[in-house]
Amino acid sequence: MFKKIIGTFIIAFFFNALFAASARDSIQIKGSDTMVNLGQAWAEKYMEDNPGDFVAVTGGGSGTGLSSLISGTCGIAMSSRNIKEKEISLAKQKGINPYEIKVGLDGLAVVVNPSNPVGKLSAVQLADIFTGKITDWKEVGGKDQKIVILSREVNSGTHVYFKEHVLRKNDPNAKDEFAAAALMLPSSQAIADEVAGNSSAIGYYGMGYISPKQKAIAVAKDENSEFVEPKIENVISGKYPISRPLFLYTNGQPQGLVKKFVDFALSKEGQETVLKTDFVPINIK
């Protein structure tokens, strides 16, 4: 009899919890791994202020988020790059109208192991390293040690931005690619972990992932420019040469719960969260 009562209680609890979750307004947010910590911080603060709403945030890369928006499986896509023309075309075929909202700025940090004596590199040197023209740290003032190149996977907005702005030097006609030996890793955290444990490694990610376990490289735009560290003040001033906008994409102008969340992300509280997660706000007064 006791077991029957307990079993009935568990079943009732499950269905009550299921009903409570389904009764709440909910939204799915997917995309950029660079932005996932920011998105989760937004969601936590938003749900504190709006306990009747539920927000789920997952990563997977900018391309994954935009694909989910196009397929209708998320309400908001996070992206660290602009949507591509082919993605817009595919979206329109499916009746989706991608709407772009800039929500912050990010500096891409190039990182090495703290034991690596190299602390400064020009944009040209970075391009030569990541395309495989420079293969040993001694060529840029480091130890006689083969360079291990780490990159995000091709679906990542971070990968696309770094290729277009560093490897291809903002030249739309350039065809430069990452070296064949480059290790393509699935997340910014995976790059951070590998750099922390590999004295030969070099990688890149959003500066929000920098920790004492990695050393951020100061970067010069060209041979005649100053070396600048990836810090918030340097991104705001425009001095740091590898920086980019961060976006949310919605299906058409935001409506309903989606608008409510976007308005929060752009509010004073939401933009303070941008700053607290080591990105650069666009809307703090």
Side-chain angles (χ1 to χ4, degrees):
M1 182 67 178
F2 178 74
K3 289 183 178 179
K4 184 176 181 180
I5 293 172
I6 292 296
T8 301
F9 174 78
I10 291 172
I11 292 170
F13 178 82
F14 172 78
F15 279 106
N16 285 338
L18 188 64
F19 175 78
S22 63
R24 301 167 76 185
D25 290 329
S26 64
I27 184 169
Q28 292 283 334
I29 301 175
K30 296 183 181 180
S32 168
D33 280 319
T34 294
M35 296 175 67
V36 72
N37 289 341
L38 170 60
Q40 289 169 348
W42 271 337
E44 184 178 335
K45 295 290 289 183
Y46 174 87
M47 288 188 288
E48 285 178 8
D49 297 342
N50 302 274
D53 298 343
F54 178 74
V55 181
V57 179
T58 54
S62 298
T64 296
L66 291 166
S67 293
S68 296
L69 181 72
I70 292 167
S71 66
T73 56
C74 75
I76 297 176
M78 302 178 294
S79 183
S80 57
R81 63 166 171 84
N82 293 99
I83 190 169
K84 299 175 182 177
E85 286 298 326
K86 64 181 181 181
E87 290 169 328
I88 294 173
S89 177
L90 179 60
K92 289 182 176 178
Q93 291 174 29
K94 294 180 177 290
I96 302 294
N97 180 30
Y99 184 81
E100 182 181 279
I101 305 143
K102 185 193 288 188
V103 291
L105 300 169
D106 180 30
L108 276 190
V110 177
V111 292
V112 296
N113 186 277
S115 67
N116 191 326
V118 176
K120 298 178 180 180
L121 291 168
S122 70
V124 172
Q125 288 175 315
L126 285 176
D128 287 349
I129 287 172
F130 281 91
T131 56
K133 294 175 184 175
I134 292 175
T135 60
D136 197 291
W137 282 111
K138 68 181 179 181
E139 298 178 66
V140 289
K143 301 174 183 177
D144 186 358
Q145 197 171 29
K146 185 179 178 181
I147 297 172
V148 176
I149 302 169
L150 308 177
S151 172
R152 288 296 312 281
E153 294 176 324
V154 295
N155 195 42
S156 160
T158 307
H159 171 106
V160 172
Y161 184 90
F162 198 84
K163 180 169 70 175
E164 291 177 351
H165 293 266
V166 178
L167 275 62
R168 297 181 177 177
K169 306 176 182 67
N170 296 309
D171 179 357
N173 297 315
K175 302 297 182 183
D176 300 83
E177 293 288 346
F178 284 91
L183 303 177
M184 300 294 174
L185 299 183
S187 68
S188 297
Q189 190 59 55
I191 290 178
D193 292 342
E194 181 64 25
V195 169
N198 189 336
S199 63
S200 299
I202 184 169
Y204 61 91
Y205 47 56
M207 65 185 191
Y209 280 85
I210 298 173
S211 81
K213 295 180 180 180
Q214 303 89 28
K215 181 172 72 173
I217 294 290
V219 179
K221 185 176 180 180
D222 53 50
E223 301 298 337
N224 300 315
S225 300
E226 66 175 316
F227 289 94
V228 182
E229 295 181 357
K231 293 183 177 180
I232 286 175
E233 58 268 27
N234 293 335
V235 173
I236 292 173
S237 69
K239 288 183 177 180
Y240 186 66
I242 317 175
S243 58
R244 59 180 173 171
L246 302 174
F247 302 105
L248 297 180
Y249 282 91
T250 60
N251 179 16
Q253 290 196 23
Q255 304 288 331
L257 182 59
V258 169
K259 182 179 188 302
K260 193 175 172 183
F261 183 86
V262 169
D263 287 347
F264 169 78
L266 293 172
S267 71
K268 186 175 186 295
E269 185 177 16
Q271 290 290 292
E272 285 173 349
T273 302
V274 172
L275 188 60
K276 288 176 182 176
T277 49
D278 296 318
F279 295 112
V280 180
I282 59 167
N283 198 27
I284 282 190
K285 298 178 181 178

